[in-house]
Each structure stands twice: as structure tokens, then as C-alpha cells.
Amino acid sequence: MEKNYLTREKNYLTKEEAAKILTIPGNVKGTIILTNLEYLKKKGGEEALKKLKERIKELEIPIDLENVKHANMYPEAISVLIILLIKEILNLNENDIFEMGGAAMKLSPVTKILTKFFLSFEVVLKKASEYWKEYFDFGELEIVDYDKEKKYTIIRLKGYKFHPLLCIYHAGYFYQVAKMALGSPKIIVKETKCTFRGDPFDEFYFSWE
Amino acid sequence: MEENIIKKYQDELNELIEYINDLFNFLPIPTCDLSPTFCIIQVNKAFEKLTDFDSLEITGESIEKLFLEKEKIKKIISLLQKEQELQNQELVLIKKNGEKIIVNTFWATRIKKEEIEGFLLAFIDITLLKKIQKEMEKEIKVKTRDLREKIIELEKFQKIAVGRELKMIELKNEIKQLREELEKLKSK
């Protein structure tokens, strides 16, 4: 999955960009932030975490990383900024961001509770909207099409517009959910619609073998 | 008021999550959590240490990937649909570097409202134990063979000793008979 909104040349987040993102409303569970920090530690060690704390201070992002709790709600804008800073610190490309989205699914202890739905892909799709609401107090996740025979599904994410990089992150997350629920077959994911391209929502097309 | 109650529950939930996490990672026995479709959902530190797989690499993979005997795994999966617990299932685990180790596995089904929510798997590396057992069995085999040879020798010796004893008795009888004959001749 390739998107060219954020290239390597434009790798540093500015104070102005951060301030703009911070104005976007909506909250997310702390477990997402914690799993992203876990990913950062796994890939870059304690040194990378230290850099992240420095950048957070520099950009005046209102978060104390030492006190983030799994079940508490935090502004999604902060979570997004942390992802952008992790990208900056680890010098991640879009494939890495996709992997990082999948890692959020893999590393979160709260997410594990939801794997009880992973009885079949149908159950996961039926519960998708519920699943989204477990984490976010805004936006909506919708399954608009599912064909078991032709092996594809279309997922729509409405009311979410923070940064184009998050489309890749979400695709990685959904991909990992699908992989676990389908029992690891070959899955193809494409973003067919995007709010950053003028569409009213983000849309992801999944097919599998 | 309602906000305070929510906050209280949130705090308790956070404490519980942290406690479970700490406990899970403290366990010295490799343990993992499996989805109802037998995908690896979570692994603890001991699991990572023994298998050399990082949680990021192995999470989401099918449990079959971890073991050599695919048919045996299928049998265990089928048994777990009926049984709630399976113990002492010996399997060969393939580590990240391809090294094969023998593990004793323990399986448990997590059921809620009569529906399977997932499975738990723990295993102990018994490779060293198996090696010692094999060496002991080999040693016992050698010792048994030695013992058998000794018994055969002993039997041979006994045969010789008993044969000698019988010959002595025979000779004694012969002497006695000759003496009697001599006595008879003297008296004539």
C-alpha cells in the first residue's frame, strides 16, 4: 500500500503542524498510545523513547508519557502526533507505518480481549463498528460490502481526518485484524477513497485468497 | 458523580491490566494466548526467550507454524473442542533459527457462556531431560547386556562347579565300592 503524502524530504514535524492537529476533536483509549510506545522501544530502544520525550516537549504536546494508562481516554490528536514523531525518530517509510498499525493490534493487551470475536471473519465484520467504539469516542467504522464467495470486503471509516499517514496506519491495523481472523491467508489491501483526496470518508478494499 | 464512578472503574481497570501484564511477563514458563482460530494473540517474555521470536514477529501467526508435527497439532485442536484441558502433550517446537527442541505442552480452552473465547498454551523445554533420559536408557541397555553376560558366565561356572561336585561324589562312591571289595578279598 503506497501513499505519497509524506515523503522523506518532509520528515520533521513543525510546531505549527502539531498545533493545527491538536485542534481536531476526538479521543482514543490510551492503550493505542502505549502500544505505539512499545513499538518505538522495540525498534529504537530507550534512546528512541528519550528522543520522543524531547520532541514532545519541544512541540509543546500536552502529554506525560510516563502516566498514560490503557483504559483512559486521550485526545486522538496526541496519539496521531506521537505516530508522526515515531516516524520521524525511526525514519520510517510507508511500509513501516503499515507494519506499525499492525503492531498496535499485536501489542495491545486490551485488544487481546477483543480477539474472542475472531471466531470467523464474518463475526469480526459484524462486530467491527462495536470494536471501533471500544477505542474511539468519535468517527464510525462501517462494513459496506462483504462477499464470502468472491473473498472481498469494503470498510468505510467516517468522521476521521487527522493526517494522511494515519490511513496507512489504519490499513495496517485492519490488515492485521483480517489476518488473525482469516487465519493468515494472503490478504491484499487498497485504500480506494480518502478524505485527503476530497472523498467524504476513507474506504479500504480487502481481498484474500 | 457519574464521572467519578467512571474514573474509579477506569483506574481499577488500568491497575488490573498492569497486574495481568506484569504477571504474564514474570512467568518463567513460556505461555501464549490463542484466538478461537488458533492464531497467536499474545506471548510472554519467557516465550520470546525460548523461541527467539519477537512478539511482533510471531503474533498473528497460526500455532501450527511453531511446531513440527502438524498432524499432531490438528489432533490437539480437535480434542480441545471437546476437552477443556490437555496436559503433557509432547511436541517438537521449531525455534526462529530452525533449531528443534522437545517441549511438553499444556493446553486450556477458555469458555464463556458456552462459547469458546480462545485457548491458552504453556510449554516446558524438556530437550535436556529427554537427552538425559536417552543417555540413561542407553546406559541401562549397556548395563543390562553386561549383566546378562555375567549371568551366562555364572551359569557356565555353576555348570562346571556342579559337574565337578558330581564327579567327586561319583569318585567317592567308586572308592567306597573298591574299599568294600578290598575288605571282602582280605577276609577271604
Side-chain angles (χ1 to χ4, degrees):
Chain A
M1 179 161 166
E2 288 291 325
K3 279 178 90 115
N4 297 310
Y5 298 108
L6 210 100
T7 59
R8 280 182 188 265
E9 289 78 49
K10 189 188 174 300
N11 215 6
Y12 288 94
L13 190 68
T14 64
K15 215 171 178 175
E16 290 71 34
E17 279 171 324
K20 198 178 164 192
I21 290 172
L22 279 170
T23 60
I24 308 169
N27 298 298
V28 66
K29 262 193 186 142
T31 193
I32 297 289
I33 296 174
L34 288 172
T35 49
N36 288 331
L37 295 183
E38 182 73 20
Y39 178 85
L40 176 71
K41 273 195 273 181
K42 273 187 182 286
K43 298 285 176 179
E46 288 297 326
E47 190 55 34
L49 185 65
K50 202 178 144 199
K51 272 187 198 163
L52 177 68
K53 284 178 186 169
E54 283 167 11
R55 287 291 282 138
I56 280 176
K57 206 174 161 190
E58 255 176 56
L59 297 172
E60 293 171 11
I61 300 168
I63 184 94
D64 173 10
L65 292 187
E66 296 298 323
N67 282 309
V68 177
K69 303 284 176 195
H70 284 280
N72 289 11
M73 298 300 278
Y74 299 87
E76 169 65 1
I78 292 178
S79 179
V80 168
L81 288 173
I82 288 172
I83 293 168
L84 297 179
L85 288 174
I86 290 174
K87 180 199 182 291
E88 178 188 302
I89 292 161
L90 297 177
N91 198 24
L92 302 180
N93 61 28
E94 288 167 357
N95 287 335
D96 300 326
I97 294 293
F98 186 83
E99 185 204 80
M100 190 176 161
M105 173 69 210
K106 290 176 176 184
L107 298 172
S108 166
V110 176
T111 309
K112 316 294 183 221
I113 302 164
L114 301 166
T115 55
K116 64 185 174 191
F117 299 143
F118 291 6
L119 201 59
S120 70
F121 198 44
E122 280 104 322
V123 180
V124 172
L125 292 177
K126 269 182 201 164
K127 300 276 182 182
S129 166
E130 215 177 291
Y131 192 92
W132 177 265
K133 282 173 190 155
E134 283 280 340
Y135 292 99
F136 300 90
D137 66 0
F138 69 100
E140 210 178 321
L141 192 66
E142 234 181 57
I143 309 300
V144 286
D145 199 359
Y146 169 60
D147 195 318
K148 197 180 174 180
E149 299 300 311
K150 289 179 183 164
K151 296 182 177 177
Y152 78 87
T153 188
I154 297 168
I155 298 170
R156 252 178 220 167
L157 179 56
K158 290 177 173 173
Y160 188 101
K161 194 180 177 183
F162 282 84
H163 194 281
L165 204 68
L166 266 292
C167 300
I168 302 170
Y169 180 91
H170 285 143
Y173 190 93
F174 299 146
Y175 168 84
Q176 193 54 47
V177 172
K179 198 177 169 214
M180 282 190 189
L182 287 163
S184 310
K186 194 182 171 194
I187 299 164
I188 295 162
V189 54
K190 285 178 200 161
E191 193 189 19
T192 44
K193 282 187 177 131
C194 179
T195 49
F196 284 93
R197 287 197 305 248
D199 294 312
F201 42 74
D202 291 331
E203 194 177 85
F204 301 93
Y205 171 88
F206 286 83
S207 64
W208 57 92
E209 285 175 5
Chain B
M1 186 65 186
E2 202 179 310
E3 262 182 30
N4 284 342
I5 295 169
I6 291 170
K7 197 189 171 302
K8 185 179 167 277
Y9 284 135
Q10 251 178 2
D11 289 345
E12 283 175 4
L13 185 60
N14 282 325
E15 273 179 38
L16 200 63
I17 292 167
E18 277 167 21
Y19 175 78
I20 292 168
N21 241 358
D22 290 346
L23 182 70
F24 195 59
N25 282 321
F26 159 77
L27 287 177
I29 300 163
T31 308
C32 66
D33 200 354
L34 306 171
S35 75
T37 50
F38 287 90
C39 265
I40 300 169
I41 298 296
Q42 190 176 15
V43 301
N44 68 350
K45 296 262 183 251
F47 182 109
E48 288 183 305
K49 203 176 162 191
L50 181 70
T51 64
D52 287 336
F53 281 112
D54 184 272
S55 57
L56 271 179
E57 296 167 321
I58 198 71
T59 310
E61 297 295 336
S62 167
I63 194 64
E64 279 186 32
K65 186 187 170 172
L66 211 58
F67 297 105
L68 184 71
E69 306 109 314
K70 311 291 177 207
E71 284 307 311
K72 214 167 168 183
I73 287 291
K74 277 181 190 150
K75 204 176 157 192
I76 288 173
I77 288 173
S78 146
L79 276 171
L80 278 168
Q81 310 297 324
K82 297 170 229 157
E83 313 270 339
Q84 288 203 10
E85 253 184 52
L86 278 179
Q87 292 190 345
N88 299 315
Q89 302 292 314
E90 215 174 282
L91 289 165
V92 176
L93 184 142
I94 310 160
K95 288 171 70 164
K96 192 185 169 183
N97 61 5
E99 188 192 338
K100 293 177 183 85
I101 57 167
I102 307 163
V103 289
N104 200 9
T105 61
F106 302 82
W107 306 73
T109 313
R110 290 174 52 235
I111 298 175
K112 205 174 174 189
K113 290 180 190 164
E114 293 177 6
E115 294 235 357
I116 294 176
E117 285 204 336
F119 304 91
L120 290 171
L121 164 66
F123 45 84
I124 301 164
D125 181 8
I126 53 165
T127 313
L128 191 65
L129 210 71
K130 279 276 162 191
K131 198 182 159 202
I132 293 169
Q133 191 187 341
K134 224 173 180 177
E135 277 169 10
M136 294 271 276
E137 277 172 2
K138 208 175 160 186
E139 209 172 308
I140 288 169
K141 228 175 179 175
V142 172
K143 294 261 189 242
T144 310
R145 201 189 58 208
D146 285 354
L147 210 68
R148 269 204 194 116
E149 281 172 6
K150 289 261 187 291
I151 290 169
I152 291 167
E153 263 177 48
L154 218 66
E155 277 173 353
K156 270 185 194 165
F157 175 75
Q158 195 205 16
K159 232 177 188 173
I160 293 164
V162 170
R164 188 176 162 268
E165 200 68 26
L166 288 171
K167 191 73 188 168
M168 293 260 293
I169 295 166
E170 201 187 308
L171 286 170
K172 270 182 188 172
N173 286 338
E174 211 177 311
I175 291 167
K176 197 184 163 192
Q177 211 181 335
L178 285 169
R179 265 187 189 152
E180 281 169 6
E181 275 178 26
L182 192 68
E183 284 304 314
K184 274 181 195 171
L185 281 171
K186 269 184 189 173
S187 61
K188 275 182 186 174

